[in-house]
Amino acid sequence: MTKSSKSLPRPTEAELELLRILWEKEPATVREIYDALNLQRPSGYTTVLKMLQIMTVKGLVVRDEANRAHVYRAALSQDVTQSEILKDLSVRLFSGSAAQLALHALAMEPASADELDAIRVLIDSKRSPVETNSAQKGKHQP
């Protein structure tokens, strides 16, 4: 069963918690998800099971019923889910401007040197060839 990212329901905080566990352990049984969640905060087994059942109906997870223990996996990758949530946030809060979203996010928290390097690489990859050549010429000028 494949789910179009266009129809991705917005996961709740609790559902995101389970999705993060699934992205790390995927696939996983209810017991494995329950055990991982309880390392972070106490929860009940039946609560985790019920949440996974709801998430299956919503299309956030896919359940494999081939074995006795049901095995779950996220319907969409972490990258696709994050992109869709950020796209929605960008539209709702920043009139669709990804740049404004990024600027606001960077202003909120300090970034590590590695993160700043990754941001520079991304910015450079987004520049047109004309902008890139102009920026490089400017660096080599005395």
Side-chain angles (χ1 to χ4, degrees):
M1 171 180 148
T2 58
K3 189 87 171 150
S4 166
S5 61
K6 297 278 186 214
S7 62
L8 175 73
R10 223 179 297 158
T12 65
E13 284 300 314
E15 290 169 344
L16 278 172
E17 214 172 4
L18 296 187
L19 283 171
R20 280 190 286 271
I21 291 168
L22 277 172
W23 289 322
E24 182 183 318
K25 297 187 168 296
E26 193 165 272
T29 64
V30 178
R31 172 62 61 189
E32 291 167 332
I33 298 165
Y34 164 78
D35 288 344
L37 181 62
N38 274 284
L39 293 175
Q40 301 166 20
R41 66 171 177 83
S43 184
Y45 179 88
T46 55
T47 301
V48 172
L49 175 60
K50 184 64 179 172
M51 285 182 61
L52 287 166
Q53 290 168 340
I54 292 168
M55 290 170 72
T56 301
V57 172
K58 289 173 79 172
L60 293 169
V61 298
V62 177
R63 178 177 57 213
D64 177 1
E65 300 176 20
N67 299 316
R68 187 165 184 261
H70 293 178
V71 177
Y72 290 85
R73 63 179 177 78
L76 298 171
S77 71
Q78 183 174 5
D79 187 51
V80 169
T81 302
Q82 288 172 338
S83 293
E84 288 301 315
I85 291 171
L86 283 174
K87 192 181 305 176
D88 178 58
L89 188 61
S90 171
V91 168
R92 290 188 298 123
L93 291 177
F94 300 98
S95 302
S97 172
Q100 288 299 315
L101 173 66
L103 288 169
H104 191 78
L106 282 171
M108 289 174 46
E109 293 286 329
S112 71
D114 287 343
E115 290 170 329
L116 290 173
D117 288 343
I119 291 166
R120 283 185 195 95
V121 168
L122 179 61
I123 290 169
D124 289 343
S125 74
K126 297 292 182 180
R127 285 194 171 131
S128 70
V130 173
E131 290 174 327
T132 302
N133 288 338
S134 297
Q136 288 174 347
K137 286 179 185 175
K139 287 181 184 176
H140 299 299
Q141 296 289 333

